[in-house]
Amino acid sequence: KKGKKLINYSTKGKRRLVELLLRAEVDVNFINPLGSTALMLASYNGDIETIRLLLAAGANPNMQNQNGLTALMGAALKGNEEAVGVLIGAGVDVNIQDAKGKTALMNASEIGHPDIVQMLIQNGANVDLQNRPQDVTALMFAIVNGHTDIAQLLIEAGADKNLQDCNGETALMHAAKNGNAVITQILIQHGAPIDIQHTQNATALMFAARNGH
């Protein structure tokens, strides 16, 4: 019962009540029916003080809910930069993948949070992990969603430009298909191969021509 209250109070930002429960030695890692903890919900909401309280009481930042989401992923999805920083400071594993293989870096790259992307890269995020079963990388997510600044950050961080998704498409193919001339040029300047073929034998140049770019 105390665990349910902890989650409820943490979600609603009732810090004084959270403190009282923590003093009463409530299970700080109690999970609700969806597998979520108080820390996950506070991180999603960007409630920094509650996050600090829970971490100080021993909340595990690496726990995952039923979908494999972590507190860090929630904070990255919502663009809660300070929450991401606090979780990193607490030693969170930045490369945990959810049930679909997505990481916090992929989430931030897809939604469009460049400062969080930069922070994750600087703290050891693997830029080349791929989700499941599409095999999409953070770089591909950034390109498909038009986040040129994030794509550039990932390229400069050494993202593998040869990786292919489940359709055999590379980051360059995605850029060409979407008509993103800036990223296409940056990728080529950084050595992205232009002659790799996808599963139906098309190259990046063919994608660009096919889509009128």
Side-chain angles (χ1 to χ4, degrees):
K1 195 171 182 181
K2 284 181 181 178
K4 289 181 181 179
K5 285 183 178 179
L6 179 66
I7 287 179
N8 184 36
Y9 297 154
S10 297
T11 304
K12 294 179 179 178
K14 296 182 177 179
R15 296 183 200 102
R16 180 66 184 143
L17 294 172
V18 169
E19 277 188 273
L20 290 172
L21 282 172
L22 293 174
R23 284 179 193 166
E25 298 185 346
V26 64
D27 179 3
V28 71
N29 292 312
F30 177 87
I31 59 172
N32 69 10
L34 296 176
S36 296
T37 64
L39 181 62
M40 290 177 198
L41 297 167
S43 299
Y44 186 79
N45 292 330
D47 187 342
I48 304 304
E49 293 310 312
T50 299
I51 292 169
R52 292 187 193 279
L53 280 173
L54 294 167
L55 287 170
N60 181 353
N62 293 323
M63 289 182 71
Q64 296 174 270
N65 70 7
Q66 286 183 354
N67 295 317
L69 294 175
T70 64
L72 181 64
M73 291 174 192
L77 274 170
K78 293 289 284 185
N80 295 325
E81 186 180 344
E82 191 175 356
V84 169
V86 172
L87 291 164
I88 288 173
V92 69
D93 182 346
V94 297
N95 290 313
I96 291 176
Q97 292 175 277
D98 67 17
K100 294 183 179 179
K102 291 183 76 173
T103 62
L105 181 64
M106 290 180 199
N107 290 332
S109 299
E110 181 178 22
I111 302 297
H113 301 304
D115 291 338
I116 291 177
V117 168
Q118 183 70 56
M119 193 184 304
L120 290 168
I121 290 171
Q122 289 173 345
N123 286 278
N126 184 338
V127 295
D128 292 327
L129 290 175
Q130 294 171 279
N131 75 348
R132 296 183 291 267
Q134 295 91 354
D135 292 330
V136 176
T137 64
L139 177 57
M140 293 174 193
F141 274 119
I143 291 170
V144 169
N145 289 281
H147 304 309
T148 301
D149 51 349
I150 291 174
Q152 189 158 0
L153 284 173
L154 292 163
I155 292 167
E156 290 170 357
D160 188 340
K161 297 164 289 294
N162 296 320
L163 291 176
Q164 294 171 278
D165 64 18
C166 63
N167 295 315
E169 294 182 24
T170 63
L172 183 60
M173 289 179 193
H174 282 291
K177 190 161 66 171
N178 284 276
N180 193 324
V182 174
I183 289 302
T184 298
Q185 186 174 8
I186 293 171
L187 282 165
I188 292 172
Q189 287 173 348
H190 281 78
I194 60 174
D195 53 356
I196 287 182
Q197 296 181 335
H198 89 325
T199 51
Q200 294 178 358
N201 301 322
T203 64
L205 185 59
M206 291 177 190
F207 273 120
R210 187 183 300 168
N211 289 277
H213 303 307

